[in-house]
Amino acid sequence: MTPETSPLELSLPDVPRSTSADGHDLLFPDRHRYHDVVAAHREAGFEMLADLTAVDYLGHPGRALPEGVAPERFELVVMLLSLAHVHRVRIRVQVPEDAAEVPSLWDLYRGAEAMEREAYDMYGITFTGHPDLTRILMPEDWEGHPLRKDFGVGRVPVQFKHAPGPR
Amino acid sequence: MSGPDTSSPFVRETFEGAQELASRHDTSPEELGREVGSVLRLPESYGGVDVSDIDIERPDDETMIINMGPQHPSTHGVLRLMMELDGETILRTKPIIGYLHTGMEKTAEQLTYQQGSTNVTRMDYLSPLNNELVFSLATEKLLGIELPPRAVWIRMLLSELQRMSSHLMWLATNGMDLGSTTMMIFGFRERELVLGFFEKTTGLRMNHNFIRPGGTAADLPDGWEDDVEVILDNVTSRLSDYDALLTGQPIFHERVEGTGTLSAEEALALSATGPILRSTGVAWDLRRTMPYLAYDDVDFDVIIGTYGDNFDRYAIRINEIRESVRILWQVLDKMPSGDYRVQDKKVTPPPRARIDESMEALIHHFKIFTEGFKVPEGEVYVAIESPRGELGCYMVSDGSSKPFRMHIRAPSFVNLQSLPVMMHGGLVADAVATISSVDPVMGEVDR
């Protein structure tokens, strides 16, 4: 395969964009337009959803976002990969805490199934349109979403050691 | 399946409601037609189904739901598969995971960058050095440091040896799953050679914590070239034994040829990477397509298959061992001299001798081991080709000495999604061969 590194510049004029430190294109669509933006990328030749995860920015001192993007507590991070053009794009979507709901990518990429379940399990972000949005790693009766920043770490009680502390 | 029995608290506690396969009536005919998973996991373009042909009215009691695992010798750990069977034929499959979940991504947020590689190395326990590598590459990218060439080539040497040992282990377990105990003994025997070298180099056979942000923990031991040459000569000659034992053997062919097939479109839609994607004919290997370390300075071929069946995945792995041998001979030739870690006193501890004579070195040493080094604010995604596929690390830093978020894109976790598609329409006996050919490492799946 000859790598022809022509960046796929999609004409999405009102989606804020920048370039990350690792040289990937970054896109910051609104969570209502997120599905359309991903669909446009799929049309343009991004065959694979490489990864989908989330970040809880609670307590973060402040991150660099392009103009016009208001920071929210959660951020959904989607890595798209074009095999034909050997190109990666990262889509970061701001998800507010009180309405942690985004459309599922399952209708575009079947591979989103387990990844979205993991993001739901760990962060409590709901993916509308996902066919089977259940916990995947934690037990079904688990309360809370463990990777949230306000979810305690917990510790194993140690005999003869009374020093309190996080670890 | 009956509902939860609420009469006894014991039963209620263990009843796993949400993990049931959904009833056939809850699934739309189009989805049911593909009969894959409790939900559909096939791409839209999959054209093999005529909706009018599907027997929607088939009552639930004509099929049998059977659990394979979590304690089953062929599930490679604690994978549980819920299979819907029509006689001997598998209709739908749902992989149920999480039995080995230890919250390693949460743990990573409590550990400094320097301690972090001890954590990630335990994820994929068959290729721990690759995990350390991707974690270190992500940290280094955030730090913006460049490694000395020797550190890069040491990492490449270890990474290829690891690929070899991981594939040898796979050949062994795959042989065992298919009834060839000879292959099991052979595979473990050769893997032992590699692990012996790792023990000599890193001090441990597994979970090395050897590749660290800033380089490696130590230089290669004296005489490492001879050790590697012995490994390469041995493995090369024994690969032909494997060919005689398995590749050309009719019984093995009958078991693996044409079973567990996957098309390229399905593999792409399901985000499958590594040998699974390559077995369908897609030449995608991050070492070649998005080179990291010094992979663009060495010659090797990307092995691809044609049919995407179990035999192709076997052939790809055995030939990737040959390619690793080829890369390792070149690494032996080209290994540069120099430092094995970057001499940045904010990132790597000073040499032991310096601590005795320099107050400044002592302070840096103390700072690094008590509070760790600080990493500038930012976020990166780094991906490498592990023996199982694209191993990615998404790291967010808030400027402190601990990662704000560390996510590992585990190839086994994602590849498991293609299992229902591969198994659909096959026999239960072939399921064992198919699970094995996906090569899931449960430590990495559940993290």
Side-chain angles (χ1 to χ4, degrees), chain B residues 4 25 38 81 112 137 141-142 155 168 178 188 223 244 268 301 314-315 335 363 368 394 404-405:
Chain B
H25 294 283
S38 85
L81 293 171
T112 63
L137 287 176
K141 200 155 252 181
L142 277 170
R155 286 177 173 193
L168 285 168
L178 299 178
F188 273 95
L268 287 172
D301 289 329
Y314 160 80
M335 177 66 78
I363 293 171
I368 284 173
Y394 180 68
F404 190 75
R405 167 91 170 102

Side-chain angles (χ1 to χ4, degrees), chain B residues 10 12 87 225 315 317:
Chain B
F10 191 66
R12 191 170 60 231
E225 293 98 336
R317 288 196 177 96

Side-chain angles (χ1 to χ4, degrees), chain A residues 22 49-51 53-54 56 88 90 92 106 110-111 113-114 118 123 132 136 140 146 148-149 151, chain B residues 19 40-42 44 94 97 101 106 109 269 271-272 283 289 379 381 390 404-405 407 409 417 447:
Chain A
D22 48 352
L49 172 76
D51 195 9
T53 185
D56 180 1
R88 280 185 196 277
R90 189 148 77 233
R92 292 168 63 185
W106 183 75
R110 297 298 179 203
E113 204 249 339
E118 193 195 353
Y123 287 97
D132 184 26
I136 186 165
E140 289 85 42
R148 287 189 174 193
K149 284 286 175 186
F151 191 94
Chain B
Q19 295 276 18
L40 164 72
R41 291 189 187 88
L42 275 192
E44 209 80 312
K94 184 176 181 177
I97 59 173
H101 179 60
K106 185 82 174 172
E109 294 171 7
S271 305
T289 51
E379 44 105 48
Y381 178 76
E390 175 176 329
F404 190 75
R405 167 91 170 102
H407 170 74
R409 187 257 192 226
Q417 295 185 92
R447 281 158 292 151

